[in-house]
Amino acid sequence: GEYAEQYAVPISGTACEPEIDLLPTVLAYPGVPYGGNETKCASVTNTGCWDLEISDILMTDDGGGAYSWNPLPGTSHVLALEETVDLCVQYSPQLTGDNEGEISIHSNDLVDSTVILSLTSSFAPPDIDCQPESLDFGQVDLVEGQSEVLTVICRNLGPETLEIEQIVEDERKMLKVVC
């Protein structure tokens, strides 16, 4: 009977999938003084050939309130090939907290389903150091017109300006430095 000839046909191709690209991966805020602020942006781009579906953009650590969105991005996006969304973050140094933060971006990228945008600063708050921490006047005989002075020296160990608002005496006759 009849039989068919067989031919080898080469087939080649490239796997097609969404691919997230985050640039930069770190937003650094060096030298922003206390009371100031600065806004920087990172770009999320789809470098794959299928739509990149971003399901969540979460500021998982705001550095003790130091970082905030500027402006607030939507929580979900669908990015076509080479389409980009910018994530802009404002930094305002805080006296408390670590001034370090993190943003998590979740998508349908098969290799990197979660990418992290790190937020860093070089801010170090003022740091008061008073010595001695307590004063001992010993036994004092009260004689009218007589006084004794003991000295406390307070220094700022941090790089930022330390503002002393007031020195107050509490109900126990203890002095308290209010910064």
Side-chain angles (χ1 to χ4, degrees):
E2 286 185 39
Y3 60 93
E5 292 186 37
Q6 293 185 1
Y7 296 97
V9 178
I11 297 175
S12 66
T14 303
C16 192
E17 58 188 38
E19 187 172 337
I20 193 166
D21 187 32
L22 174 65
L23 287 175
T25 57
V26 176
L27 292 180
Y29 299 83
V32 179
Y34 181 72
N37 63 66
E38 184 176 348
T39 299
K40 292 188 176 187
C41 300
S43 296
V44 177
T45 303
N46 179 13
T47 57
C49 53
W50 284 355
D51 286 352
L52 177 69
E53 297 172 8
I54 298 173
S55 56
D56 278 315
I57 302 172
L58 303 169
M59 189 172 296
T60 53
D61 182 354
D62 71 356
Y67 298 98
S68 60
W69 295 111
N70 186 20
L72 184 66
T75 56
S76 63
H77 298 271
V78 176
L79 303 180
L81 173 64
E82 298 302 323
E83 194 171 8
T84 297
V85 63
D86 288 331
L87 304 178
C88 297
V89 178
Q90 179 174 295
Y91 171 64
S92 302
Q94 299 296 304
L95 294 178
T96 58
D98 61 7
N99 286 277
E100 302 292 315
E102 186 175 277
I103 295 171
S104 297
I105 304 155
H106 304 277
S107 73
N108 65 336
D109 183 308
L110 299 176
V111 177
D112 296 313
S113 62
T114 300
V115 293
I116 302 296
L117 175 60
S118 297
L119 309 171
T120 66
S121 75
S122 59
F123 178 75
D127 181 14
I128 191 168
D129 176 54
C130 295
Q131 295 297 325
E133 290 184 9
S134 64
L135 299 175
D136 183 1
F137 285 90
Q139 186 170 347
V140 177
D141 294 324
L142 297 177
V143 177
E144 191 172 323
Q146 183 181 2
S147 66
E148 186 172 345
V149 176
L150 296 178
T151 302
V152 173
I153 297 175
C154 293
R155 300 178 306 148
N156 178 14
L157 301 178
E160 289 292 319
T161 301
L162 174 68
E163 294 182 23
I164 297 176
E165 295 176 8
Q166 60 182 330
I167 299 175
V168 295
E169 182 179 15
D170 69 13
E171 63 279 350
R172 298 173 295 152
K173 301 291 183 192
M174 302 289 288
L175 294 180
K176 179 178 171 182
V177 177
V178 180
C179 299

